[in-house]
Amino acid sequence: MNKVQGILSGLLLAGWQLVSAQALYMPLNISRAYEQNTRSANGAPGPRYWQNKAAYDIQVSFDPATNKVSGTESIVYTNNSPDTLREINFKLFSNLFQHGAVRYMPVTAGDLTKGVDIRNFKLNGTEMRLPSVTGTNMPLGLSGNAAIRPGEQVNISLSFSYTLNENTHIRTGAVDSGAYFIAYFFPRIAVYDDLHGWDKIPYTGVQEFYNDFSDFRVAITVPGNYQVWATGDLKNTADVYNSKYAERIALAEKSDKVTDIISEEDIREGNISKKNAWNTWRFEADNVTDFAFATSNHYQWRATSVEADHSTKRRTRVDVAFNAAHADFYDVVDYARITVDQMSHHFPKWPFPYPHITVFDGLDQMEYPMMVNDNPLTNKAAAIELTDHEIFHTMFPFYMGTNETQYAWMDEGWATIGEWIISPMIDSTIIDDYGMQPYNLMAGRGQDLPVVTPSNQLTDAYMVNSYPKPALGYLYVKDMLGDSLFLKALHYYIAQWHGKHPQPYDFFNCMNTGSGRNLNWFWKSWFFDNGYPDLGIKAVTEKGQQRDIEIISKGTKPVPVDVRVEFTDGTERMLHQSIACWEKGNKTTTLSFTSPKKIRKVTLGSTWVADVNKNDNVKVM
């Protein structure tokens, strides 16, 4: 190759790379982030990436007699953005139960309230007049010197109160007359980011959350016969537990075996906590996206721990707090322990990032940093799948900080593939096909929208777009790249973005960079384009010992090819091609092999291969 040819080839290569890098449609607000160098084309945060930070000091009390949640909080908020903030938006998630609030889930009349009552609001010591709000956003204008300039830190203080919902349990509320899961209880500053500015999308009960990484110091006061479990580390164990229970907690933190910290007998004896009318439990958690707590006067507590990081010997304590009437929870501690172990050492093969995870026996199926609110189930497989799904959320969205409100698939899809992979590790009889039937039924219909459609714009497609479709996308890429290269790419993504706020293109670009493969052809087809998966058997031919099975893609979504060949002597053979067989845009692919045996029957498809029409998936010879 001469010099001129080399220059031309270099230009052509650079042009191809530019075209391929831009092959994925990008909205203007996101493309501006790349222009402003807050995001990078290789997937990493840009040299000018920033995110704001808050530190919360909260004193909260809960009275089961009245369901009253009340408290005070001090916030130190740092504006790391290049912008002067002339307003600040607060999230009042408990206003989901406010009269007149817009919500997409039913609420019983008895749970409707006047909303969160905020008083004594001060900014840098100056009392501020708050706007009257209906709903979960409270934007507060900051005029003159109150505006928060780049690099500036402000101090905010306030008091708050509201009545906890008792009959309509939407992720938070009363579980029974002596058990409560209390989340979204404190007014918090919304996310201000480089993509959207202030997050002002209202919480309506369906889409989930987008929160900044914050530091929490939370003091929780409850009646003296109640115990508390929460996000973060309990800092005053000796002040709230009698000595033998403190010893049991310490034992569980360093043991692979299950410890009964609070048993039925302990509850009957009633000498668990210090005998005060009220006790205050002090928790601390740094750099987490949320804080939740649960409390009960009659729950048992089983705990164990896992060596999450073999290199440092760091352990994670695994807690299950539950009602003795719910038999499945006696085993949930084992399911939870295996989940943490397998997450740390198998998939995603990243050390579990937090000191504990607590599964609380509640009325929902919802995740929080270091906490899970799970309902009881009588079916063992369902209990396993629920447990590992919710714990898997520890990585996505909490460790990774994704925007659940707009991109639910960036966490629910990962929890779904995590559930598919880990459930059989807990019980080998499980074939977890969660979400496959809904997707096979919906694919290609009018309501089947592209995965990247903002989650707050979805209706009928919310479930399939958030859970099975992205999970299948991840699974198909894992199959194509192989476990080692897939984990290398995934670890690149995690390493770049944990503790930050990745958006879809950060993920796609990280996977491309981490794998060394341009996967945009698949990202475009599976996540951006309309279409549906539909494979069929086109032909089966036998010539001598040559066997050819030709598969046709009648749809537009690339899926793997799995074929089971049954021979006339009763034996079988499995054949497989990854999604790579469709990369060139071809509509057919052939699986060939040699065998002296005659084929009796060919069956196309498997559990996680989506297909809208399976009528042409069997060929009998």
Side-chain angles (χ1 to χ4, degrees), residues 18-249:
L18 183 62
V19 170
S20 65
Q22 294 179 343
L24 302 180
Y25 166 76
M26 187 178 290
L28 291 175
N29 60 305
I30 296 179
S31 65
R32 277 195 292 269
Y34 290 89
E35 295 166 4
Q36 295 168 357
N37 293 317
T38 58
R39 314 271 165 165
S40 296
N42 66 1
R48 294 184 178 178
Y49 178 79
W50 54 267
Q51 62 192 50
N52 291 349
K53 181 77 181 258
Y56 293 84
D57 192 331
I58 303 172
Q59 293 78 44
V60 60
S61 64
F62 173 65
D63 186 353
T66 62
N67 277 8
K68 187 75 171 289
V69 178
S70 58
T72 62
E73 64 181 278
S74 298
I75 310 169
V76 179
Y77 183 70
T78 305
N79 178 19
N80 293 315
S81 83
D83 307 322
T84 295
L85 304 180
R86 303 191 185 280
E87 73 169 354
I88 188 167
N89 189 41
F90 276 78
K91 291 291 184 178
L92 309 178
F93 292 129
S94 296
N95 273 0
L96 179 71
F97 296 92
Q98 183 186 30
H99 283 283
V102 175
R103 53 187 161 264
Y104 296 146
M105 301 183 78
V107 171
T108 60
D111 279 333
L112 292 175
T113 71
K114 294 180 180 179
V116 181
D117 182 23
I118 301 178
R119 299 175 184 269
N120 306 313
F121 187 104
K122 294 180 180 180
L123 176 69
N124 288 335
T126 301
E127 190 157 358
M128 304 284 288
R129 183 175 181 178
L130 300 181
S132 177
V133 299
T134 300
T136 57
N137 284 310
M138 186 181 76
L140 176 65
L142 303 175
S143 59
N145 291 332
I148 310 172
R149 291 162 180 78
E152 197 168 72
Q153 200 170 72
V154 296
N155 294 279
I156 297 168
S157 61
L158 59 91
S159 60
F160 65 92
S161 64
Y162 70 95
T163 302
L164 187 71
N165 46 298
E166 185 171 355
N167 304 301
T168 314
H169 194 106
I170 302 174
R171 302 189 174 107
T172 179
V175 178
D176 60 36
S177 59
Y180 306 85
F181 197 98
I182 302 174
Y184 325 121
F185 63 92
F186 60 98
R188 67 175 303 147
I189 299 175
V191 175
Y192 183 84
D193 67 18
D194 60 321
L195 303 176
H196 309 286
W198 284 112
D199 170 27
K200 292 186 177 180
I201 299 174
Y203 169 51
T204 59
V206 177
Q207 286 79 24
E208 297 176 13
F209 306 93
Y210 183 35
N211 297 318
D212 265 327
F213 287 87
S214 303
D215 299 334
F216 291 93
R217 306 289 178 269
V218 183
I220 303 165
T221 301
V222 294
N225 60 332
Y226 275 74
Q227 281 72 55
V228 176
W229 298 265
T231 300
D233 297 322
L234 178 62
K235 293 298 183 178
N236 64 332
T237 305
D239 295 337
V240 292
Y241 279 116
N242 288 319
S243 59
K244 75 174 181 179
Y245 299 98
E247 290 168 5
R248 290 176 185 176
I249 294 169

Side-chain angles (χ1 to χ4, degrees), residues 248-261 301-307 315-320 331-341 355-358:
R248 290 176 185 176
I249 294 169
L251 175 63
E253 289 176 344
K254 58 187 178 183
S255 176
D256 291 345
K257 296 180 180 178
V258 175
T259 299
D260 287 303
I261 295 178
W301 179 6
R302 308 191 81 202
T304 180
S305 63
V306 177
E307 188 176 276
R315 300 184 73 88
T316 290
R317 193 182 75 232
V318 179
D319 304 322
V320 176
D331 296 320
V332 165
V333 68
D334 298 314
Y335 309 154
R337 186 187 189 283
I338 295 171
T339 298
V340 172
D341 189 29
H356 79 83
I357 182 73
T358 300

Side-chain angles (χ1 to χ4, degrees), residues 388-518:
D388 56 32
H389 180 105
E390 302 304 341
I391 292 176
F392 206 92
H393 275 300
T394 296
M395 290 296 296
F396 313 90
F398 301 130
Y399 192 57
M400 297 299 291
T402 57
N403 185 338
E404 302 170 83
T405 310
Q406 293 203 60
Y407 313 119
W409 59 271
M410 292 187 75
D411 69 288
E412 295 296 357
W414 283 112
T416 300
I417 186 178
E419 171 190 333
W420 289 345
I421 291 172
I422 292 175
S423 295
M425 296 176 179
I426 300 173
D427 183 339
S428 60
T429 66
I430 291 176
I431 300 175
D432 187 349
D433 63 351
Y434 174 70
M436 291 305 301
Q437 183 180 22
Y439 179 46
N440 284 329
L441 290 173
M442 182 179 285
R445 297 179 180 270
Q447 63 267 49
D448 180 24
L449 301 174
V451 174
V452 295
T453 306
S455 302
N456 61 310
Q457 303 298 318
L458 295 170
T459 52
D460 295 349
Y462 181 80
M463 185 272 176
V464 296
N465 265 26
S466 303
Y467 296 80
K469 280 173 70 176
L472 289 172
Y474 306 148
L475 189 68
Y476 296 164
V477 172
K478 179 176 180 288
D479 173 50
M480 177 176 63
L481 297 179
D483 286 351
S484 178
L485 186 56
F486 179 80
L487 287 177
K488 179 184 176 183
L490 180 57
H491 288 179
Y492 177 77
Y493 170 54
I494 295 172
Q496 296 299 319
W497 285 100
H498 72 81
K500 301 181 180 69
H501 292 312
Q503 45 83 31
Y505 300 87
D506 300 318
F507 166 69
F508 297 133
N509 291 335
C510 276
M511 293 298 289
N512 289 355
T513 300
S515 67
R517 300 268 299 269
N518 190 316

